[in-house]
Structure formats: structure tokens, C-alpha cells
Amino acid sequence: MLTITSREYTMILVTGGFGFIGSHVVRALHDQGVRTVVVQRGRAAVPEHLADLPVAVVRADVADLADLRAVGERHSVTGIVHLAGYPMPDGPEGRRTGIDPTQRWLQGLLNIGRVAQEWQVDRVGLASTIGVYFGTGHRGVLTEDLAVTLTAPHPIPRAKKITELLGEHLAETTGLDVVHYRISGTWGPLGHADPFFAAPALAHAAAAGTVPDLAALAGAPRLGDGLDLNYVKDTGRAIALLQLADRLRYRTYNVAAGRTTTNAEIITALRTIAPDADLALPDGGEAGDPMDITRLREDTGYAPRYGTVEAADDYVTWLRAGHLR
């Protein structure tokens, strides 16, 4: 049985730790009494929203093996949560960026595996996405053992499918404990406009008293559109619990709410806080399938703490406090 190091001596390296989901993972780990070190390619400074935590930050590039090894010389890393980004095929104005971004992404993933082995860490967590289920033709609850296709129409699920395959390969060839997080649609503080669901744009409009800016969406949203939508504080806590669990029985876990939330539900919740908000959307739409979280619940004790109303209230309060996102 794998036993995670005593939390008094635990230090988790988090890549992408100052990003949207990563920031909430860092806070959730600290809430569990665990220290973190975050690697940043740019300026090595803790952002304001995490300034109250004793976060260590090191300027390093995960694609540079020497940089990563230097982190291990300064800190006794016992686990890794790898949330850093994915390669996009198009640069500014749609220009092709060539092989370099993909090479850096793959090199970073392999470097994470190499230092994890050298440091003999307890566990490596790799970010994946609900998008890996797209294209299966399946209707019903999305379980981790569902067969997924090798193709994807968008670079995010494409990169995450590659990550899962490579993570499995690294686990089998190195003996590392590698865990994949299939993260559902996620909204909340620090989030960006999302092309796949309207909740962030609706929340911003409710907070500001404006009409929703839906330009970033891939298609026109309707009231009945929905997907498994998790509040980011729950997402961060679920990932922290997966990283710290004494024993995990599986390599892949859905990180989700376990239920589908529609735009109509989001609007109803937001109107409890902003009753005069202009959030009208046309009727119709299609609700996607929920993700099964039985594995996550049974192996970590996780249960979402934020219902739709609680999430809407928390997010709007955050935005009205002057935060841009």
C-alpha cells in the first residue's frame, strides 16, 4: 500500500500553480496543512490572491530539465501536481506556430516524469479534461472506464488524451504513481471567458449589471444547454484530496460535480443575487451528460460543497469586490 509522507514533511510542487485552477489547488493543499512550491517561467512572485499563504515560488521552466532539477536542490519535493498548459496550434492572428510549442509541452511532461523518479515522489497528478469523452457517441453518465476515441476536434482534449497515454506509459516504465484528473467544466474566481459554456460570462454580467458578453463562445448559448459544471474551489479541493490520499485504486478520476447544470439553473441562481440582471437567453438547447464521481468520492471522501446558488453568490461577491476575473 502506498503511504503518503507525513504532512509535516510534505511539499507539493505545483506547475501552473498561479493559474485559474492551480491557484485553488495551492490554497486547498495549504488548507490540508501541506506546503507548496510553485514554478513560474516569468517573475517569481506570489500573486496578491495567494499572498496570505506561505507559498514558495521558484523561477523555472518545466521544459528545462536543469531548471527543474534546481527546484529539487532547494526544496524537498514529495509530490507533483502538473497543471501547466497545453500546446495550441495557432498563434496570434491564426498564424501556425510550428513544432516548437508541442516540443516544449512534451519535453516539460517528460521532465516532470524524470525529476519525479529522481526525487522518488509519492505521486504525480496530471491534468486532463471532460473533453476526452467527446466523440464517443455515448449517452448517459460518463464513467472513467468508458472507451474514448483517439481523435479530437480541439487542441485541449487532443493534448489531454496524449497526456493520459504518456502518463500511463511513464507509470508502467518507471513505477511512478501517476494519476489523471479528468476535470469538468469549471467556473469561479480567476477564471477566463470559456468557449464551451456561458456561466462565467453570465456571472460577470450579473456582477456588473451589464448585458452578457458572449462573443468568446463557440456557439450561441440557450437556456437548456448544460454540462457537468463544478465550482473551482471544489475542483481545487478534489485535486488536493487526490494528491494526498494514502491509497488510490485507479489511475484516472473524474473531478466534477457529478451532475449536469444548465444555463437556466445558472441564471436562476444569479438572479437571487442580482434580481434585475439582464441574463435572457433563448429557449432550447441540449444538456450534456454528468460525470460519475464514485471513484473520487470513495477513495478521497470528496463531495462538492458548492451548489449552484452558493457558487453564484460566492463568485458574484468576488467580482463585486473589484476583481477583474
Side-chain angles (χ1 to χ4, degrees):
M1 176 186 294
L2 175 77
T3 300
I4 295 298
T5 309
S6 170
R7 294 188 184 181
E8 181 181 354
Y9 303 103
T10 301
M11 173 164 271
I12 307 301
L13 169 65
V14 184
T15 72
F18 293 158
F20 173 35
I21 292 175
S23 292
H24 294 277
V25 172
V26 167
R27 184 167 293 280
L29 286 167
H30 279 271
D31 288 345
Q32 294 288 327
V34 172
R35 298 172 299 155
T36 58
V37 55
V38 174
V39 294
Q40 281 285 97
R41 285 182 61 190
R43 189 168 65 95
V46 178
E48 182 180 353
H49 59 268
L50 293 175
D52 59 313
L53 300 180
V55 181
V57 56
V58 177
R59 186 173 182 178
D61 184 351
V62 295
D64 187 317
L65 183 57
D67 270 10
L68 269 185
R69 282 176 167 156
V71 176
E73 292 171 1
R74 295 177 57 182
H75 300 279
S76 298
V77 176
T78 58
I80 299 175
V81 175
H82 185 40
L83 303 173
Y86 47 85
M88 294 295 287
D90 298 316
E93 301 174 3
R95 293 192 299 271
R96 294 286 172 180
T97 55
I99 282 235
D100 287 351
T102 301
Q103 181 172 332
R104 290 181 60 81
W105 161 62
L106 289 173
Q107 189 62 58
L109 181 55
L110 291 171
N111 286 347
I112 288 292
R114 185 176 294 276
V115 297
Q117 187 177 33
E118 292 174 355
W119 299 338
Q120 298 182 321
V121 304
D122 295 317
R123 181 171 295 143
V124 178
L126 303 177
S128 186
T129 173
I130 186 177
V132 302
Y133 293 114
F134 298 165
T136 63
H138 173 82
R139 291 313 309 260
V141 177
L142 301 172
T143 60
E144 292 93 339
D145 56 3
L146 183 68
V148 300
T149 66
L150 286 177
T151 60
H154 190 276
I156 298 177
R158 187 182 309 134
K160 298 310 183 184
K161 289 181 181 184
I162 294 169
T163 296
E164 288 195 17
L165 285 170
L166 190 51
E168 183 175 11
H169 182 71
L170 288 173
E172 293 183 356
T173 56
T174 66
L176 287 169
D177 180 28
V178 176
V179 178
H180 302 120
Y181 319 127
R182 287 183 177 170
I183 301 171
S184 70
T186 304
W187 69 315
L190 306 176
H192 296 280
D194 195 282
F196 302 117
F197 54 93
L202 294 170
H204 276 263
T210 59
V211 175
D213 180 1
L214 304 173
L217 289 168
R222 294 171 293 177
L223 285 172
D225 292 333
L227 80 166
D228 194 312
L229 189 64
N230 211 25
Y231 197 55
V232 69
K233 293 183 179 181
D234 280 332
T235 298
R237 185 169 54 87
I239 291 173
L241 291 172
L242 283 168
Q243 180 61 36
L244 299 175
D246 285 341
R247 180 176 179 269
L248 295 176
R249 294 176 294 166
Y250 306 97
R251 184 162 293 144
T252 303
Y253 289 81
N254 288 335
V255 175
R259 62 179 294 272
T260 297
T261 302
T262 64
N263 287 334
E265 292 176 75
I266 295 290
I267 290 171
T268 297
L270 289 169
R271 282 181 172 154
T272 66
I273 307 123
D276 298 326
D278 184 2
L279 305 176
L281 292 178
D283 291 333
E286 182 178 359
D289 298 314
M291 299 172 76
D292 183 84
I293 58 171
T294 300
R295 288 184 179 183
L296 177 63
R297 183 181 66 251
E298 291 182 349
D299 283 10
T300 70
Y302 169 82
R305 292 177 178 171
Y306 287 84
T308 307
V309 172
E310 292 83 4
D313 181 68
D314 189 75
Y315 193 13
V316 169
T317 299
W318 165 269
L319 293 170
R320 285 177 172 173
H323 301 101
L324 296 179
R325 57 185 182 91

